[in-house]
Amino acid sequence: MKMTPLSIVLAIVVLYVCRVQGQSQCVSPTGVKGQCISIFECPALLALLNKRDKEKEDVKLLKDSHCGFIKQHIPKVCCEIIVDTTDRRCFTPDANIGTCISLYSCPPLRNLLRPPISKEDLAFVQNSKCEGPDQYSVCCGSQIKTTIKRSECGPSIAPPDPRTECCGLETYTDNRILGGNATAIDQHPWLTILEYRGVKDNKIKLLCGGALISSQYVLTAGHCVVGPVLRIGELINVRLGEYDTSSEGQDCIQPNYSDVDCTDSPVILPIEKVIPHRDYNPGSQLKRNDIALLRLKSEAPYTDFIRPICLPYEDITQTTGTQFLEVAGWGAVSEIKSYSNVKLHVFLPYKPLKECQQAYEVQGRKLKLWHKQICAGGDKGKDSCKGDSGGPLMTHNNRRIYQIVGVVSFGPTPCGTENVPGVYTKVYDYLPWIRSEMKP
């Protein structure tokens, strides 16, 4: 075929545009159409490059896929064109909408890793992890907020940035009931109750708890949304702003003979979507990956009695020193009564996993714990219990900003058995999953 001068010029222009954009067309070693791009932008071949034990075929495929260099040192490969229909939208740690992509393809986060790297910048990158195309996937936004505004704390589908103090803060003043386990009426405003419609009697049943982590998402346990619990009732609603379940409308108390303090009426919101962790097995006694998200049909209002708790911004198992954690909910107050009418809380000592494992190696409790679980408790008569399932295990910093570090999973029978801590799903290890599943 003879090419005219015009067709030659057009071919040169097209080739020039493709090369300028770094995406010239090519055919992969397997015979599939592709684009010649940076290997860091090709998830399949990047994963192959990062593979520890490469086979001869892997090395050959990488060599045969090579199609040039960018700036003389970044290799380009012929990357097969694959139409990806996965919704990779996610929320960044600073509450922006981002996309879950390779860290190498995210300039804002790559820039944070240029030496010298501050502790805060490293933590931001670590907390940006998501479940994406390769091993080093991050939720990448267009830019990173450097100015923290503490006045913009309205309802937001995104989990709030803890630096803004838009999560994990309570409004209560020291009006706790001394010597007891009842909370103040406006304490822990992120606590929620899950409502189920009874299978046999069609009545509303309160079987699990949860924690509000944004205006439209609640974090709870996997065993609260799939498995045997559904034989009792169908999960339909989330109740927010509750204090005393025995009364309807407002709840009022008069702490320490002061003025009467009343709540607003509880807010009940239908559930739009139930998202159990894909690897949770309700039939396994190990209770691994016992975590779930609930997306509400509408956004929750933020009030003195309804506010989100912060997602964890550090791994507390890596800190030193004795720690006390806090768990709250409407769980059992005795083996006779399986729930409490009013919101309760208790402080529990943190237990290292190795020490906790010893308590679960005795006859009748033989379970192998793993690194994505965290333990707390072991003091006689103090524990999370029936009805607390799915509720938050919490800690707070010096500014009393609470973060959720665990989700109530399982424990000894009876509750509060001495030297047997309760076991909680470790939220920090599930941040990539949480960021990938929460959508704008």
Side-chain angles (χ1 to χ4, degrees), residues 167-186:
C167 58
L169 278 180
E170 304 170 320
T171 58
Y172 85 102
T173 56
D174 257 343
N175 57 358
R176 302 186 214 189
I177 299 173
L178 299 178
N181 286 330
T183 69
I185 201 166
D186 49 0

Side-chain angles (χ1 to χ4, degrees), residues 18-33:
C18 287
R19 290 194 182 281
V20 167
Q21 293 179 342
Q23 294 184 349
S24 57
Q25 291 186 346
C26 58
V27 177
S28 75
T30 59
V32 178
K33 287 184 179 180

Side-chain angles (χ1 to χ4, degrees), residues 17-226:
V17 170
C18 287
R19 290 194 182 281
V20 167
Q21 293 179 342
Q23 294 184 349
S24 57
Q25 291 186 346
C26 58
V27 177
S28 75
T30 59
V32 178
K33 287 184 179 180
Q35 289 180 330
C36 186
I37 59 177
S38 164
I39 191 169
F40 296 119
E41 295 177 359
C42 184
L45 293 179
L46 182 61
L48 204 60
L49 180 67
N50 291 329
K51 186 177 175 183
R52 290 186 178 180
D53 302 318
K54 296 183 184 67
E55 305 289 341
K56 289 183 179 179
E57 293 79 8
D58 298 333
V59 176
K60 186 177 187 304
L61 180 59
L62 286 170
K63 287 182 177 179
D64 292 347
S65 299
H66 182 253
C67 57
F69 291 93
I70 298 176
K71 296 181 180 179
Q72 298 182 343
H73 65 279
I74 299 176
K76 294 168 69 176
V77 292
C78 188
C79 189
E80 295 181 3
I81 299 174
I82 300 173
V83 178
D84 187 359
T85 58
T86 304
D87 184 356
R88 298 205 181 281
R89 292 176 302 163
C90 53
F91 289 114
T92 63
D94 55 353
N96 281 323
I97 297 175
T99 305
C100 190
I101 60 176
S102 167
L103 171 62
Y104 303 103
S105 302
C106 182
L109 291 180
R110 282 209 324 266
N111 290 339
L112 292 184
L113 296 177
R114 290 178 177 172
I117 306 172
S118 70
K119 181 180 178 181
E120 292 74 18
D121 287 347
L122 181 59
F124 191 93
V125 174
Q126 289 175 332
N127 289 335
S128 298
K129 291 178 182 177
C130 57
E131 295 184 340
D134 63 51
Q135 183 181 358
Y136 304 104
S137 292
V138 291
C139 188
C140 183
S142 57
Q143 60 183 3
I144 297 171
K145 291 180 182 178
T146 55
T147 303
I148 306 303
K149 296 182 180 180
R150 290 178 169 80
S151 58
E152 301 175 356
C153 291
S156 170
I157 301 176
D161 182 345
R163 298 174 299 173
T164 62
E165 298 185 358
C166 290
C167 58
L169 278 180
E170 304 170 320
T171 58
Y172 85 102
T173 56
D174 257 343
N175 57 358
R176 302 186 214 189
I177 299 173
L178 299 178
N181 286 330
T183 69
I185 201 166
D186 49 0
Q187 198 172 353
H188 302 325
W190 40 83
L191 286 183
T192 68
I193 303 177
L194 309 191
E195 292 189 350
Y196 300 74
R197 182 184 290 115
V199 172
K200 295 181 179 180
D201 55 15
N202 212 35
K203 292 181 179 179
I204 294 296
K205 299 181 184 296
L206 312 178
L207 304 177
C208 275
L212 191 71
I213 57 172
S214 82
S215 63
Q216 208 162 353
Y217 281 91
V218 169
L219 192 63
T220 187
H223 74 267
C224 288
V225 303
V226 294

Side-chain angles (χ1 to χ4, degrees), residues 219-224 276-277 279-281 286-293 311-312 315-317 325 327 350 353 356 369-376 384 388-394 403-411 422-431 433-434:
L219 192 63
T220 187
H223 74 267
C224 288
H277 193 281
D279 294 328
Y280 173 65
N281 178 4
L286 297 176
K287 291 288 190 294
R288 293 180 176 179
N289 307 300
D290 189 10
I291 194 168
L293 282 166
L311 290 174
D315 183 351
I316 67 161
T317 65
L325 305 175
V327 66
Y350 162 74
L353 201 61
C356 185
L369 305 179
W370 75 326
H371 64 282
K372 291 187 179 182
Q373 290 169 324
I374 188 172
C375 294
S384 54
D388 288 323
S389 284
L393 180 69
M394 305 168 285
Q403 56 177 317
I404 176 172
V405 297
V407 172
V408 179
S409 183
F410 68 93
V423 180
Y424 303 76
T425 303
K426 184 182 172 188
V427 176
Y428 184 82
D429 285 346
Y430 289 91
L431 286 180
W433 175 79
I434 292 171

Side-chain angles (χ1 to χ4, degrees), residues 332-353:
V333 291
S334 69
E335 287 303 307
I336 299 175
K337 191 173 182 181
S338 62
Y339 64 91
S340 165
N341 289 333
V342 298
K343 191 190 303 183
L344 304 176
H345 69 146
V346 65
F347 293 92
L348 304 171
Y350 162 74
K351 297 293 183 183
L353 201 61

